[in-house]
Amino acid sequence: MLKCRIIPIILYDGSFAVQTERYKRPARRLGPVLQYVENMARRDIDELIIIDITATEERRNPNFDEIKKFTKNLFCPVTYVGGIKNLDDVIMLVKNCGVDKIVLKTNYSLISDIAEKFGKQ
């Protein structure tokens, strides 16, 4: 029998958890992201997806220190989306920040580099 998976998504704008309509601005601020991540950690979730909806648009890198705080007390796989520009960003997220998966748009050369470094699964 197939298991039902619980995978919540937290959207944030680089500092606050937000609620959007179709990922468009203006986003309604809900509160500190860490509060939402800790709330999810207390629940029996199978995975957590964190999407920084403004990182790519603002051309900024992921906030590695903040992401590390998010994943510190989580005991489930974490997927991160937003602002990933190069292989160094991926290495930092996976090896130092506790992120298990990343999501990229269509940067094919970066996808090839990541597959070469981490393997294909």
Side-chain angles (χ1 to χ4, degrees):
M1 187 163 113
L2 294 175
K3 183 179 187 251
C4 179
R5 305 256 183 229
I6 308 298
I7 306 173
I9 298 172
I10 296 176
L11 302 176
Y12 89 113
D13 64 2
S15 54
F16 290 97
V18 295
Q19 180 180 14
T20 67
E21 188 171 312
R22 297 185 183 188
Y23 299 106
K24 294 183 180 174
R25 289 182 148 228
R28 186 174 140 235
R29 287 188 167 177
L30 301 175
V33 180
L34 191 55
Q35 175 183 334
Y36 281 86
V37 171
E38 289 171 350
N39 189 14
M40 293 300 165
R42 288 190 294 270
R43 303 188 188 291
D44 198 16
I45 61 173
D46 295 303
E47 184 173 339
L48 179 63
I49 300 174
I50 300 171
I51 303 175
D52 186 340
I53 63 170
T54 58
T56 303
E57 179 183 299
E58 295 173 356
R59 299 185 186 275
R60 63 179 162 75
N61 291 336
N63 186 338
F64 300 113
D65 293 332
E66 197 164 307
I67 296 165
K68 200 177 216 178
K69 288 179 195 172
F70 299 162
T71 61
K72 183 179 178 183
N73 294 319
L74 280 174
F75 299 101
C76 66
V78 175
T79 300
Y80 178 80
V81 185
I84 301 167
K85 297 183 191 93
N86 54 47
L87 185 59
D88 292 335
D89 289 347
V90 175
I91 292 169
M92 189 72 161
L93 287 166
V94 172
K95 295 198 174 189
N96 297 338
C97 296
V99 171
D100 300 284
K101 301 176 191 176
I102 59 161
V103 175
L104 300 172
K105 204 168 178 179
T106 52
N107 185 341
Y108 298 114
S109 63
L110 179 56
I111 292 170
S112 297
D113 292 345
I114 293 168
E116 190 176 306
K117 172 78 176 170
F118 291 98
K120 303 173 194 172
Q121 293 183 24

